[in-house]
Amino acid sequence: MTKQLMSGDQAIARGAWEAGVMFAASYPGTPATEILESLAHYPEIHAQWSVNEKVAFDQGMGAAIAGVRAFVSMKHVGVNVAADSFMVFPYAGTNAGFVLISADDPGTHSSQNEQDNRYFAKFAKVPLLEPSDNQEAKDYVKLAYQISEQFETPVMLRVTMRLAHTKGLVEHGERSTAPKKPFVKDNLKWVVPPFAKAHRSPLENKMRAMEQYAETFPANKIEKGTGKADFGVITSGVIFQYAREVLPDPDFFKLGLTFPLPKQRLLDFCSQYQKVYVIEESEPFLEEQLRFCGIRNIAGKEMFTNIGELSPELIAQQMNGTIAPTDFSKEISTPARPPMLCIGCPHRGTFTALNRINGITVTGDIGCYTLGGLPPYNTMNTSFEMGGSIGQAFGFEKAGEPRTVAIIGDSTFLHSGIPPLLDAVYNKGKTTVVIVDNRTTGMTGQENHAGTGKGIHGEPAKQVDYEKICRALGVEFVKHASAFRPEEVEGAVREAIKFDGPSVVISEGPCVLIPEEKSKPKVAFTVVADECIACGLCFHTGCPAILESAETYRASASQKPRPKAIIDPLICVGCTLCAAVCPPECIVRVDGKPWGA
Amino acid sequence: MTHNFLFAGVGGQGVVLASEVLALVAAAEGYDVKQGEVHGAAQRGGAVVSHIRFGERVYSPLNLRGQVDVMVAFEKLEAVRHAHYLKPGGVLIVNDHRIEPTYLNTAVKYPEDPIGFLKTKSYRVLSLNATETARVLGNERVSSLVMLGAVSKFTPLKASSWDEVLQDRIPAKYLELNRRAFAEGQRTMA
């Protein structure tokens, strides 16, 4: 058998393929994005980016109820979006296998919170698997489908960023497919609301049966240590790997199925030691359940923080008392390299425009443009979750803050921005919305969506028309502007704010990382030093390619000399933004050609 | 015994590709391997750090601070940022190349002599200018292969395994250039 180096995400995709999955859907979100990206390479599977996680989940439900194995993957906060479906699906259960992957992000490397989605599985009464390495990531997906079909239930498999993005060796297997199961119309089963009460106790019975199953489930296993320790450890997921790295001696109860738990086996395990340590990242999910079983000789969250990621060092420190060396880089000057907008990013122009309008509050959303809440822009004043900006702007307006502008990306607008805009129309708001359309899902790696005109494989697809959508919702003011022409965006937004009704400005400029932009020849710009009046407006765009020159300028002898601008020709991509804001028009293409109409 | 490597640099320098090559060479020789880094928002213009561990059986994908055998820094400020992961006496191969942070906060200046600072610590600091070597060879982008050539001298992995992985991973038209860059890197550590 061949072993290949694969990331956790790739291994999950491989597992879905081997399990005979026919339908897969997702919405991009770190650290889950690469799962569906990998699945799209398997031609036997219909894999797609859906407009949001709930739509993906519902589509997967439909496919599974209709009789084929279905797969949906998303980042932890995506499950919030899909939760309405996820919480009700178990009442009916499924026909063919259905697996939800939740890729959590302890440490918020690329997320707005670090919610522990294991609680979602318990909340929805759905079995939960947690692989600890790449091989298990693949194998557990296959196990998840077995459980799903045996108990006619959706199953959740949870990974964290460390496993999703770590590469390890995975032994490949063959794909096995089953014929489509027949869908039998049975309204007592599949039409849940009128019969919800009737579903309720069978769901509890199913839970009891799954609890029994957990007692003999092979991926819940005792991993013997050297025998030199007088305590035991209970753990799961990638934390098993961290803990075993630094604790070779104790016996571990390694849980593969973390809901429902094998209570009897855990009681037996705990009774063998004076003390058992429950080592888990994020919240005390296992510990709470163990305490609920009446187990007293355990220690958990009082030793292992629920904030951020755990690390092998932290476990070694708490268990062995070993102190790892600390970061000494601050002994000298070490500037940070924080995340920043790419050079040539269209959002920079939109921020420049909004910063010129005094007295506005900007409610923000989720995407690369969330960096607009940071220096040097400080344009955006709120940002929480996907699609929140528009409803929040409406709330600001009703609370007596009328000069509020919502800023939302193209993909985010399609994900969850349409209902709040419709609401602003219906409830007589005057909300102003700036849709920053960069023609891709930028932050997660340039995935296509319903607004890009391309499908997941780059094939042509129907392209949404934002203006027509907005007008159909009842928005009477819709204007387009080029993000690289801040005066256009500024003018349109000023008009939009004055307009007596909801208004939309579509600020257009393609992401520099999409293939058609990357392949375009780049001509850098340069400053004609003799004509530069050191006004500083190009610096205000925040472009890192624009630097302070040693040369200075002052309009009169009474003024302080100010530095002129120079442009780093190696990193400038010729986006034209600085040229567009330059009053004396002294920023020009290095080849001397005109820079566009 | 686990072999612990840490690669650090700036997004765009080929840190991830280089660490994948090392992981693949180790896998080709039958070791258990884990390699990982953070992707996503953290990568835009930012520092990149990748952990590579191989041995008979590797548990943690993350290195422990103070236990890395060999650290490879593709940029000298990034060497300073992560050197505390090295064990005392560990090998620090550092590219004597400066990439100014593109962040506009000028309050914190780039350090004057980061390599000199690192030499005051208890590591075996070996510096080379892989970026310049790569430029002389004709393409700055192969600096990551120069670094790989240098680190190859501090691994138990066979020369033939490295070459097999390079043949596998590098498009044919760039293979010779990459091989030359790798050989140059090896030579600097001779």
Side-chain angles (χ1 to χ4, degrees):
Chain A
M1 273 293 158
T2 49
K3 275 195 177 182
Q4 296 220 7
L5 199 64
M6 301 184 112
S7 70
D9 279 350
Q10 290 168 327
I12 288 168
R14 176 79 193 188
W17 178 80
E18 289 181 10
V21 164
M22 299 299 290
F23 178 90
S26 180
Y27 181 82
T30 311
T33 312
E34 292 91 337
I35 301 172
L36 194 90
E37 265 172 13
S38 308
L39 264 174
H41 294 135
Y42 296 102
E44 299 90 343
I45 299 175
H46 173 94
Q48 63 167 51
W49 294 122
S50 303
V51 296
N52 67 33
E53 293 87 350
K54 181 179 191 304
V55 171
F57 194 100
D58 289 336
Q59 291 164 332
M61 274 174 75
I65 293 167
V68 301
R69 284 190 168 184
F71 177 94
V72 294
S73 53
M74 54 198 66
K75 71 181 294 168
H76 59 324
V77 287
V79 180
N80 301 340
V81 179
D84 203 12
S85 313
F86 182 51
M87 294 301 295
V88 182
F89 191 16
Y91 274 56
T94 189
N95 180 19
F98 177 98
V99 175
L100 163 69
I101 310 292
S102 171
D104 294 10
D105 188 12
T108 60
H109 292 276
S110 193
S111 304
Q112 57 269 41
N113 76 2
E114 54 179 8
Q115 66 186 48
D116 184 339
N117 271 11
R118 297 180 298 175
Y119 286 97
F120 254 124
K122 186 164 181 273
F123 198 20
K125 301 180 185 292
V126 159
L128 170 66
L129 291 161
E130 286 191 82
S132 79
D133 66 11
N134 304 59
Q135 182 68 49
E136 288 179 3
K138 193 202 80 168
D139 295 343
Y140 283 18
V141 173
K142 293 163 84 172
L143 280 174
Y145 280 100
Q146 285 171 19
I147 297 171
S148 177
E149 289 180 359
Q150 182 176 341
F151 292 95
E152 298 183 2
T153 176
V155 173
M156 180 165 140
L157 183 145
R158 181 233 193 198
V159 291
T160 56
M161 182 281 284
R162 283 294 162 194
L163 179 51
H165 286 172
T166 290
K167 293 193 176 68
L169 294 172
V170 179
E171 193 168 303
H172 284 186
E174 296 302 315
R175 175 172 165 92
S176 61
T177 49
K180 178 186 174 299
K181 292 188 173 190
F183 168 68
V184 182
K185 284 183 186 168
D186 176 0
N187 291 5
L188 264 61
K189 183 174 174 69
W190 304 115
V191 182
V192 170
F195 309 110
K197 219 176 264 183
H199 282 302
R200 191 62 192 85
S201 59
L203 179 57
E204 286 308 308
N205 295 341
K206 200 183 272 187
M207 283 311 308
R208 299 294 91 74
M210 291 191 290
E211 281 166 10
Q212 281 309 306
Y213 174 85
E215 297 288 349
T216 56
F217 183 62
N220 290 332
K221 57 185 172 193
I222 291 164
E223 298 263 355
K224 284 283 188 193
T226 61
K228 281 186 253 168
D230 59 358
F231 61 89
V233 170
I234 296 172
T235 188
S236 68
V238 76
I239 303 307
F240 164 75
Q241 307 290 345
Y242 294 177
R244 186 49 106 192
E245 179 78 34
V246 298
L247 299 171
D249 296 333
D251 295 341
F252 278 44
F253 200 122
K254 175 176 175 292
L255 290 158
L257 185 71
T258 48
F259 185 78
L261 288 179
K263 285 177 191 153
Q264 193 52 51
R265 286 188 69 194
L266 287 163
L267 281 165
D268 293 347
F269 181 79
C270 292
S271 70
Q272 290 167 41
Y273 309 91
Q274 197 142 53
K275 188 110 188 196
V276 173
Y277 295 90
V278 184
I279 308 181
E280 57 187 324
E281 197 166 59
S282 300
E283 302 302 328
F285 178 74
L286 301 175
E287 186 185 347
E288 283 173 0
Q289 293 185 73
L290 293 166
R291 291 198 188 278
F292 192 69
C293 293
I295 301 175
R296 299 251 175 268
N297 60 330
I298 54 175
K301 278 297 142 190
E302 69 265 43
M303 292 178 66
F304 303 101
T305 177
N306 64 346
I307 301 171
E309 285 191 281
L310 292 190
S311 64
E313 293 97 326
L314 186 75
I315 297 170
Q317 182 187 312
Q318 296 301 84
M319 296 295 294
N320 305 338
T322 42
I323 304 293
T326 50
D327 183 2
F328 52 72
S329 63
K330 292 289 180 280
E331 290 173 20
I332 58 169
S333 166
T334 42
R337 299 185 194 272
M340 46 170 288
L341 296 175
C342 300
I343 292 172
C345 175
H347 298 324
R348 204 171 265 120
T350 306
F351 299 152
T352 302
L354 292 174
N355 282 352
R356 288 176 181 177
I357 305 171
N358 288 331
I360 57 168
T361 301
V362 178
T363 56
D365 229 293
I366 300 288
C368 291
Y369 51 94
T370 308
L371 292 171
L374 302 178
Y377 313 104
N378 297 315
T379 309
M380 188 186 283
N381 310 111
T382 71
S383 173
F384 295 88
E385 28 61 69
M386 291 289 286
S389 60
I390 299 175
Q392 285 158 25
F394 182 90
F396 264 74
E397 179 194 327
K398 294 301 167 203
E401 299 272 351
R403 286 173 66 82
T404 303
V405 175
I407 180 168
I408 185 166
D410 49 344
S411 191
T412 308
F413 177 71
L414 298 174
H415 176 283
S416 46
I418 297 172
L421 184 57
L422 173 63
D423 189 89
V425 172
Y426 172 65
N427 283 310
K428 303 181 180 65
K430 284 185 62 185
T431 312
T432 296
V433 179
V434 179
I435 301 174
V436 283
D437 176 15
N438 66 353
R439 290 184 222 146
T440 192
T441 319
M443 190 164 217
T444 47
Q446 299 81 51
E447 293 77 24
N448 281 305
H449 60 66
T452 66
K454 288 180 190 160
I456 191 166
H457 303 291
E459 75 284 7
K462 190 90 176 166
Q463 184 171 14
V464 95
D465 182 328
Y466 298 102
E467 178 170 349
K468 278 190 184 161
I469 287 189
C470 296
R471 292 207 185 275
L473 296 178
V475 179
E476 287 168 18
F477 182 105
V478 184
K479 279 214 162 173
H480 298 259
S482 164
F484 295 110
R485 299 288 175 273
E487 74 286 358
E488 267 184 49
V489 180
E490 181 191 347
V493 174
R494 283 186 188 280
E495 256 187 86
I497 293 169
K498 282 190 200 128
F499 185 77
D500 189 22
S503 52
V504 172
V505 174
I506 307 166
S507 180
E508 297 165 328
C511 170
V512 283
L513 298 178
I514 60 176
E516 41 282 46
E517 290 301 310
K518 273 173 112 171
S519 60
K520 272 187 193 164
K522 306 280 190 295
V523 183
F525 277 58
T526 188
V527 181
V528 181
D530 287 348
E531 295 172 25
C532 178
I533 55 166
C535 66
L537 289 183
C538 58
F539 295 133
H540 292 170
T541 66
C543 177
I546 304 171
L547 308 168
E548 287 185 359
S549 170
E551 236 181 278
T552 58
Y553 175 86
R554 53 179 164 176
S556 66
S558 60
Q559 276 185 354
K560 225 173 104 188
R562 289 181 307 195
K564 294 184 178 184
I566 48 169
I567 294 173
D568 183 341
L570 295 177
I571 58 175
C572 171
V573 297
C575 77
T576 75
L577 175 63
C578 56
V581 301
C582 178
E585 298 181 3
C586 69
I587 300 180
V588 297
R589 276 169 63 126
V590 290
D591 61 7
K593 290 186 181 160
W595 53 269
Chain B
M1 171 180 162
T2 306
H3 303 274
N4 304 312
F5 290 77
L6 191 78
F7 284 18
V10 177
Q13 285 195 294
V15 175
V16 175
L17 174 78
S19 48
E20 268 179 39
V21 169
L22 172 57
L24 286 166
V25 176
E29 294 208 358
Y31 288 102
D32 185 21
V33 188
K34 285 184 180 167
Q35 180 263 321
E37 69 284 323
V38 178
H39 312 215
Q43 80 179 0
R44 302 229 176 279
V48 182
V49 59
S50 177
H51 298 248
I52 310 105
R53 309 187 72 220
F54 59 92
E56 196 182 322
R57 164 134 196 211
V58 178
Y59 289 102
S60 172
L62 287 174
N63 279 303
L64 278 78
R65 296 196 306 273
Q67 294 193 13
V68 166
D69 301 297
V70 182
M71 175 175 165
V72 185
F74 289 55
E75 200 277 344
K76 50 193 177 181
L77 175 60
E78 297 315 309
V80 175
R81 217 188 298 281
H82 302 290
H84 62 285
Y85 270 88
L86 276 165
K87 66 183 184 189
V91 174
L92 171 51
I93 302 172
V94 52
N95 183 14
D96 190 356
H97 176 64
R98 168 178 176 144
I99 299 178
E100 200 69 44
T102 41
Y103 188 49
L104 299 170
N105 175 8
T106 48
V108 185
K109 297 284 184 209
Y110 196 98
E112 271 186 26
D113 182 15
I115 294 177
F117 169 71
L118 289 164
K119 282 182 175 165
T120 67
K121 302 291 173 187
S122 65
Y123 313 124
R124 198 175 149 204
V125 180
L126 303 165
S127 72
L128 70 160
N129 193 328
T131 310
E132 185 53 32
T133 305
R135 195 176 297 146
V136 171
L137 286 170
N139 190 341
E140 209 178 286
R141 292 181 68 100
V142 297
S143 63
S144 57
L145 268 292
V146 179
M147 296 304 288
L148 266 182
V151 71
S152 72
K153 304 292 270 186
F154 298 91
T155 70
L157 307 168
K158 291 194 289 283
S160 56
S161 310
W162 285 97
D163 199 60
E164 276 164 34
V165 171
L166 291 187
Q167 284 186 49
D168 221 45
R169 279 301 302 252
I170 311 285
K173 64 173 179 174
Y174 300 117
L175 182 60
E176 258 331 289
L177 175 63
N178 279 274
R179 274 179 169 155
R180 288 218 307 280
F182 186 82
E184 277 299 315
Q186 281 182 309
R187 207 181 47 78
T188 59
M189 293 295 140

